[in-house]
Amino acid sequence: MPEVLIDMTTEMDEVLKALNIKEVNPAGSTGLEDFKGGGKLIDSYSPVDGKLIASVGSCTKEDYENVIAKAQEAFVEWRTWPAPKRGEVVRQMGDALREKKDALGKLVSYEMGKSLQEGLGEVQEMIDICDFAVGLSRQLYGLTMHSERPLHRMYEQYHPIGVVGVISAFNFPVAVWSWNTMLAWVCGDVCVWKPSEKAPLSGVACQNIIKSVLKANGVPEGISGVVQGDYTVGEMMSSDKRVPLVSATGSIRMGKLVAQTVAARLGNTLLELGGNNAIIITENADLKISIVGALFGAVGTCGQRCTSTRRLIIHESVYEEVKASLTKAYTQVRVGNPLDENNHVGPLIDKQAVEAYLVALEKVKSEGGKVLVEGGVLEGEGYESGCYVKPAIVEAENHYAIVQAETFAPILYIMKYSTIDEAIALQNGVDQGLSSAIMTTNLRQAELFLSYAGSDCGIANVNIGTSGAEIGGAFGGEKETGGGRESGSDAWKVYMRRQTNTINYGAELPLAQGIKFDL
């Protein structure tokens, strides 16, 4: 692989050094050993200033086989470690992340484009999930149940599933990996990660951070594999029978392809796909917090969260007031270099995303939408990358084709309603089912929204926005969002295989259901 030098004149020089990202970056890693792939180079350009940060080699089929072979070997040993001992390794990884939080947060911000506060927050999520996983390592509970047969005992237990494949997206280039791997590791699994080709350096950085922990604890090489590359690497993983579980985060289109390929070999998937999230603002809402929730939900991460607020469903009695307040609030949003903490919003990930944003704005206008806050591409000093756009607000109808789709950009569609039943129907009237929220001080409205007749999403909030999930709760959605659950609660069970056990401690062999089989 030819050497590609990092531009050491950038302000990221010290960050890259702190994360041990050198002049030539690996195409993959088996945990303790890096290797240079024979595939094409992946150039990582920052959307912040358009500069090349570094290049990473992509994996060939041979490289992929190397990582999977090491993972299989590591699993045979790793699954024998007591779960609390595995948890101790994860605890040390949390400490390593604490030490590198500032550097990794800055890299995430620079490579992906989210604000520095959000970059640091993403690393904090990684630390939090480590803490959660440590406690979980002593609580991998099964159940006991009474047998209908005398002198019999029944129970169920969970065993490690094996090699877990993780395919992550650019918008959370490190946190989603940690949600999966920290839980999978304490469960006794090993992981192979394909980072987004739009944020490959974040993957390199994570592997570098945990290497010293792996080495110090004598962890078998291969429990943490990384394979860099484009969709073809994901295809290798999806079609590989040696990978019983593939956890994939990304677009609905991508998720359907992964699901079909994995299902064809009767493997398991954990899918976190698109969102088309709405906030209902009722006539009983606290409008102050409603505006804050809607604003951050719509413009945070430049609208590139799967939980970003896409639709605002407002009661007709407060519609004009909310519209005026929100329009005024948008004038105060500062778009610029995300490493400058005076700015609220950074760039979109690349020019392809900018084009999709512009197409969506034209499409909604052609369908009859009325623009309240004009969008567009920002130009001039500080915007040289061509990836900075203006957050936009459009009055629209829920049935518009473009409103029904997810556009990964800061475009907010607002609409009005008359009754709470109508509002819930609008909220549910899309193909995606990730996150939802209602703003109300009315207990009946709140409980209705959370009931079987309310939101059909995997996440339903009251008096907070659609984004900003905590790791303690299971994260995921329904319908075309994919049905997967990650992070907290009992999401750990997806990384294990379930086994029911019956023990006969008597001298006879009675059969279930009273069946007689006497000789």
Side-chain angles (χ1 to χ4, degrees), residues 355-375:
E355 182 60 27
Y357 157 86
L358 294 173
V359 168
L361 286 175
E362 289 304 313
K363 179 67 174 174
V364 73
K365 286 188 282 187
S366 72
E367 292 190 71
K370 178 183 177 183
V371 177
L372 298 178
V373 176
E374 195 72 46

PDB file of all heavy atoms in Angstrom, residues 355-375:
ATOM      1  N   GLU A 355     -26.300  17.580  -1.911  1.00  0.00           N
ATOM      2  CA  GLU A 355     -27.159  17.437  -3.084  1.00  0.00           C
ATOM      3  C   GLU A 355     -28.509  16.839  -2.714  1.00  0.00           C
ATOM      4  O   GLU A 355     -29.561  17.278  -3.205  1.00  0.00           O
ATOM      5  CB  GLU A 355     -26.460  16.558  -4.134  1.00  0.00           C
ATOM      6  CG  GLU A 355     -27.239  16.379  -5.425  1.00  0.00           C
ATOM      7  CD  GLU A 355     -27.524  17.670  -6.156  1.00  0.00           C
ATOM      8  OE1 GLU A 355     -26.749  18.641  -6.007  1.00  0.00           O
ATOM      9  OE2 GLU A 355     -28.536  17.724  -6.882  1.00  0.00           O
ATOM     10  N   ALA A 356     -28.512  15.838  -1.833  1.00  0.00           N
ATOM     11  CA  ALA A 356     -29.767  15.232  -1.386  1.00  0.00           C
ATOM     12  C   ALA A 356     -30.631  16.248  -0.642  1.00  0.00           C
ATOM     13  O   ALA A 356     -31.868  16.251  -0.782  1.00  0.00           O
ATOM     14  CB  ALA A 356     -29.480  14.027  -0.496  1.00  0.00           C
ATOM     15  N   TYR A 357     -29.997  17.106   0.131  1.00  0.00           N
ATOM     16  CA  TYR A 357     -30.691  18.179   0.857  1.00  0.00           C
ATOM     17  C   TYR A 357     -31.355  19.149  -0.120  1.00  0.00           C
ATOM     18  O   TYR A 357     -32.532  19.503   0.033  1.00  0.00           O
ATOM     19  CB  TYR A 357     -29.664  18.879   1.753  1.00  0.00           C
ATOM     20  CG  TYR A 357     -29.960  20.294   2.168  1.00  0.00           C
ATOM     21  CD1 TYR A 357     -30.749  20.563   3.285  1.00  0.00           C
ATOM     22  CD2 TYR A 357     -29.405  21.368   1.479  1.00  0.00           C
ATOM     23  CE1 TYR A 357     -30.988  21.865   3.696  1.00  0.00           C
ATOM     24  CE2 TYR A 357     -29.630  22.677   1.876  1.00  0.00           C
ATOM     25  CZ  TYR A 357     -30.429  22.929   2.978  1.00  0.00           C
ATOM     26  OH  TYR A 357     -30.662  24.216   3.383  1.00  0.00           O
ATOM     27  N   LEU A 358     -30.624  19.559  -1.143  1.00  0.00           N
ATOM     28  CA  LEU A 358     -31.171  20.504  -2.127  1.00  0.00           C
ATOM     29  C   LEU A 358     -32.316  19.886  -2.925  1.00  0.00           C
ATOM     30  O   LEU A 358     -33.326  20.531  -3.197  1.00  0.00           O
ATOM     31  CB  LEU A 358     -30.061  20.972  -3.071  1.00  0.00           C
ATOM     32  CG  LEU A 358     -28.949  21.815  -2.433  1.00  0.00           C
ATOM     33  CD1 LEU A 358     -27.825  22.072  -3.435  1.00  0.00           C
ATOM     34  CD2 LEU A 358     -29.508  23.134  -1.909  1.00  0.00           C
ATOM     35  N   VAL A 359     -32.159  18.626  -3.292  1.00  0.00           N
ATOM     36  CA  VAL A 359     -33.211  17.923  -4.025  1.00  0.00           C
ATOM     37  C   VAL A 359     -34.484  17.843  -3.182  1.00  0.00           C
ATOM     38  O   VAL A 359     -35.606  18.039  -3.685  1.00  0.00           O
ATOM     39  CB  VAL A 359     -32.744  16.515  -4.445  1.00  0.00           C
ATOM     40  CG1 VAL A 359     -33.917  15.676  -4.939  1.00  0.00           C
ATOM     41  CG2 VAL A 359     -31.667  16.608  -5.519  1.00  0.00           C
ATOM     42  N   ALA A 360     -34.334  17.555  -1.885  1.00  0.00           N
ATOM     43  CA  ALA A 360     -35.491  17.458  -0.997  1.00  0.00           C
ATOM     44  C   ALA A 360     -36.229  18.790  -0.906  1.00  0.00           C
ATOM     45  O   ALA A 360     -37.476  18.830  -0.915  1.00  0.00           O
ATOM     46  CB  ALA A 360     -35.054  16.994   0.391  1.00  0.00           C
ATOM     47  N   LEU A 361     -35.496  19.878  -0.808  1.00  0.00           N
ATOM     48  CA  LEU A 361     -36.126  21.199  -0.736  1.00  0.00           C
ATOM     49  C   LEU A 361     -36.905  21.514  -2.012  1.00  0.00           C
ATOM     50  O   LEU A 361     -38.028  22.043  -1.960  1.00  0.00           O
ATOM     51  CB  LEU A 361     -35.073  22.275  -0.478  1.00  0.00           C
ATOM     52  CG  LEU A 361     -34.503  22.338   0.941  1.00  0.00           C
ATOM     53  CD1 LEU A 361     -33.388  23.364   1.027  1.00  0.00           C
ATOM     54  CD2 LEU A 361     -35.597  22.677   1.953  1.00  0.00           C
ATOM     55  N   GLU A 362     -36.347  21.191  -3.146  1.00  0.00           N
ATOM     56  CA  GLU A 362     -37.050  21.419  -4.407  1.00  0.00           C
ATOM     57  C   GLU A 362     -38.274  20.520  -4.514  1.00  0.00           C
ATOM     58  O   GLU A 362     -39.330  20.926  -4.999  1.00  0.00           O
ATOM     59  CB  GLU A 362     -36.099  21.182  -5.587  1.00  0.00           C
ATOM     60  CG  GLU A 362     -35.028  22.240  -5.743  1.00  0.00           C
ATOM     61  CD  GLU A 362     -35.608  23.645  -5.867  1.00  0.00           C
ATOM     62  OE1 GLU A 362     -36.567  23.831  -6.664  1.00  0.00           O
ATOM     63  OE2 GLU A 362     -35.145  24.546  -5.138  1.00  0.00           O
ATOM     64  N   LYS A 363     -38.125  19.302  -4.054  1.00  0.00           N
ATOM     65  CA  LYS A 363     -39.220  18.339  -4.130  1.00  0.00           C
ATOM     66  C   LYS A 363     -40.399  18.785  -3.274  1.00  0.00           C
ATOM     67  O   LYS A 363     -41.564  18.733  -3.719  1.00  0.00           O
ATOM     68  CB  LYS A 363     -38.721  16.965  -3.676  1.00  0.00           C
ATOM     69  CG  LYS A 363     -39.775  15.867  -3.692  1.00  0.00           C
ATOM     70  CD  LYS A 363     -40.233  15.513  -5.084  1.00  0.00           C
ATOM     71  CE  LYS A 363     -41.162  14.318  -5.073  1.00  0.00           C
ATOM     72  NZ  LYS A 363     -41.732  14.034  -6.417  1.00  0.00           N
ATOM     73  N   VAL A 364     -40.143  19.214  -2.045  1.00  0.00           N
ATOM     74  CA  VAL A 364     -41.253  19.598  -1.170  1.00  0.00           C
ATOM     75  C   VAL A 364     -41.941  20.846  -1.706  1.00  0.00           C
ATOM     76  O   VAL A 364     -43.176  20.985  -1.598  1.00  0.00           O
ATOM     77  CB  VAL A 364     -40.775  19.780   0.293  1.00  0.00           C
ATOM     78  CG1 VAL A 364     -39.945  21.052   0.461  1.00  0.00           C
ATOM     79  CG2 VAL A 364     -41.974  19.789   1.243  1.00  0.00           C
ATOM     80  N   LYS A 365     -41.214  21.754  -2.317  1.00  0.00           N
ATOM     81  CA  LYS A 365     -41.838  22.932  -2.911  1.00  0.00           C
ATOM     82  C   LYS A 365     -42.701  22.546  -4.104  1.00  0.00           C
ATOM     83  O   LYS A 365     -43.790  23.088  -4.293  1.00  0.00           O
ATOM     84  CB  LYS A 365     -40.763  23.942  -3.316  1.00  0.00           C
ATOM     85  CG  LYS A 365     -40.145  24.683  -2.125  1.00  0.00           C
ATOM     86  CD  LYS A 365     -39.232  25.820  -2.529  1.00  0.00           C
ATOM     87  CE  LYS A 365     -37.884  25.327  -2.975  1.00  0.00           C
ATOM     88  NZ  LYS A 365     -36.922  26.443  -3.208  1.00  0.00           N
ATOM     89  N   SER A 366     -42.218  21.592  -4.886  1.00  0.00           N
ATOM     90  CA  SER A 366     -42.990  21.151  -6.050  1.00  0.00           C
ATOM     91  C   SER A 366     -44.273  20.423  -5.641  1.00  0.00           C
ATOM     92  O   SER A 366     -45.243  20.392  -6.399  1.00  0.00           O
ATOM     93  CB  SER A 366     -42.137  20.240  -6.937  1.00  0.00           C
ATOM     94  OG  SER A 366     -41.929  18.969  -6.324  1.00  0.00           O
ATOM     95  N   GLU A 367     -44.285  19.849  -4.437  1.00  0.00           N
ATOM     96  CA  GLU A 367     -45.470  19.146  -3.953  1.00  0.00           C
ATOM     97  C   GLU A 367     -46.460  20.083  -3.261  1.00  0.00           C
ATOM     98  O   GLU A 367     -47.530  19.649  -2.846  1.00  0.00           O
ATOM     99  CB  GLU A 367     -45.062  18.019  -3.003  1.00  0.00           C
ATOM    100  CG  GLU A 367     -44.320  16.870  -3.671  1.00  0.00           C
ATOM    101  CD  GLU A 367     -44.151  15.667  -2.763  1.00  0.00           C
ATOM    102  OE1 GLU A 367     -45.160  14.993  -2.487  1.00  0.00           O
ATOM    103  OE2 GLU A 367     -43.016  15.413  -2.321  1.00  0.00           O
ATOM    104  N   GLY A 368     -46.066  21.345  -3.105  1.00  0.00           N
ATOM    105  CA  GLY A 368     -46.976  22.316  -2.513  1.00  0.00           C
ATOM    106  C   GLY A 368     -46.524  22.882  -1.186  1.00  0.00           C
ATOM    107  O   GLY A 368     -47.271  23.648  -0.556  1.00  0.00           O
ATOM    108  N   GLY A 369     -45.345  22.525  -0.721  1.00  0.00           N
ATOM    109  CA  GLY A 369     -44.844  23.027   0.549  1.00  0.00           C
ATOM    110  C   GLY A 369     -44.541  24.516   0.508  1.00  0.00           C
ATOM    111  O   GLY A 369     -44.132  25.053  -0.521  1.00  0.00           O
ATOM    112  N   LYS A 370     -44.745  25.177   1.644  1.00  0.00           N
ATOM    113  CA  LYS A 370     -44.465  26.606   1.768  1.00  0.00           C
ATOM    114  C   LYS A 370     -43.236  26.804   2.655  1.00  0.00           C
ATOM    115  O   LYS A 370     -43.244  26.429   3.829  1.00  0.00           O
ATOM    116  CB  LYS A 370     -45.669  27.327   2.374  1.00  0.00           C
ATOM    117  CG  LYS A 370     -45.448  28.813   2.580  1.00  0.00           C
ATOM    118  CD  LYS A 370     -46.649  29.452   3.250  1.00  0.00           C
ATOM    119  CE  LYS A 370     -46.408  30.937   3.533  1.00  0.00           C
ATOM    120  NZ  LYS A 370     -47.568  31.541   4.252  1.00  0.00           N
ATOM    121  N   VAL A 371     -42.194  27.385   2.103  1.00  0.00           N
ATOM    122  CA  VAL A 371     -40.946  27.571   2.840  1.00  0.00           C
ATOM    123  C   VAL A 371     -41.085  28.718   3.831  1.00  0.00           C
ATOM    124  O   VAL A 371     -41.425  29.845   3.451  1.00  0.00           O
ATOM    125  CB  VAL A 371     -39.768  27.824   1.877  1.00  0.00           C
ATOM    126  CG1 VAL A 371     -38.489  28.093   2.669  1.00  0.00           C
ATOM    127  CG2 VAL A 371     -39.574  26.630   0.944  1.00  0.00           C
ATOM    128  N   LEU A 372     -40.829  28.434   5.103  1.00  0.00           N
ATOM    129  CA  LEU A 372     -40.857  29.462   6.140  1.00  0.00           C
ATOM    130  C   LEU A 372     -39.469  29.996   6.449  1.00  0.00           C
ATOM    131  O   LEU A 372     -39.278  31.188   6.663  1.00  0.00           O
ATOM    132  CB  LEU A 372     -41.483  28.899   7.420  1.00  0.00           C
ATOM    133  CG  LEU A 372     -42.940  28.439   7.325  1.00  0.00           C
ATOM    134  CD1 LEU A 372     -43.385  27.877   8.654  1.00  0.00           C
ATOM    135  CD2 LEU A 372     -43.850  29.586   6.896  1.00  0.00           C
ATOM    136  N   VAL A 373     -38.509  29.095   6.528  1.00  0.00           N
ATOM    137  CA  VAL A 373     -37.102  29.471   6.718  1.00  0.00           C
ATOM    138  C   VAL A 373     -36.340  28.883   5.539  1.00  0.00           C
ATOM    139  O   VAL A 373     -36.268  27.666   5.386  1.00  0.00           O
ATOM    140  CB  VAL A 373     -36.546  28.941   8.055  1.00  0.00           C
ATOM    141  CG1 VAL A 373     -35.054  29.266   8.159  1.00  0.00           C
ATOM    142  CG2 VAL A 373     -37.310  29.533   9.225  1.00  0.00           C
ATOM    143  N   GLU A 374     -35.803  29.764   4.713  1.00  0.00           N
ATOM    144  CA  GLU A 374     -35.164  29.355   3.464  1.00  0.00           C
ATOM    145  C   GLU A 374     -33.884  28.588   3.721  1.00  0.00           C
ATOM    146  O   GLU A 374     -33.089  28.939   4.593  1.00  0.00           O
ATOM    147  CB  GLU A 374     -34.855  30.589   2.618  1.00  0.00           C
ATOM    148  CG  GLU A 374     -34.515  30.299   1.172  1.00  0.00           C
ATOM    149  CD  GLU A 374     -35.731  29.866   0.371  1.00  0.00           C
ATOM    150  OE1 GLU A 374     -36.791  30.501   0.482  1.00  0.00           O
ATOM    151  OE2 GLU A 374     -35.591  28.874  -0.371  1.00  0.00           O
ATOM    152  N   GLY A 375     -33.699  27.516   2.957  1.00  0.00           N
ATOM    153  CA  GLY A 375     -32.461  26.761   3.039  1.00  0.00           C
ATOM    154  C   GLY A 375     -31.445  27.265   2.027  1.00  0.00           C
ATOM    155  O   GLY A 375     -31.559  28.370   1.506  1.00  0.00           O
TER     156      GLY A 375
END
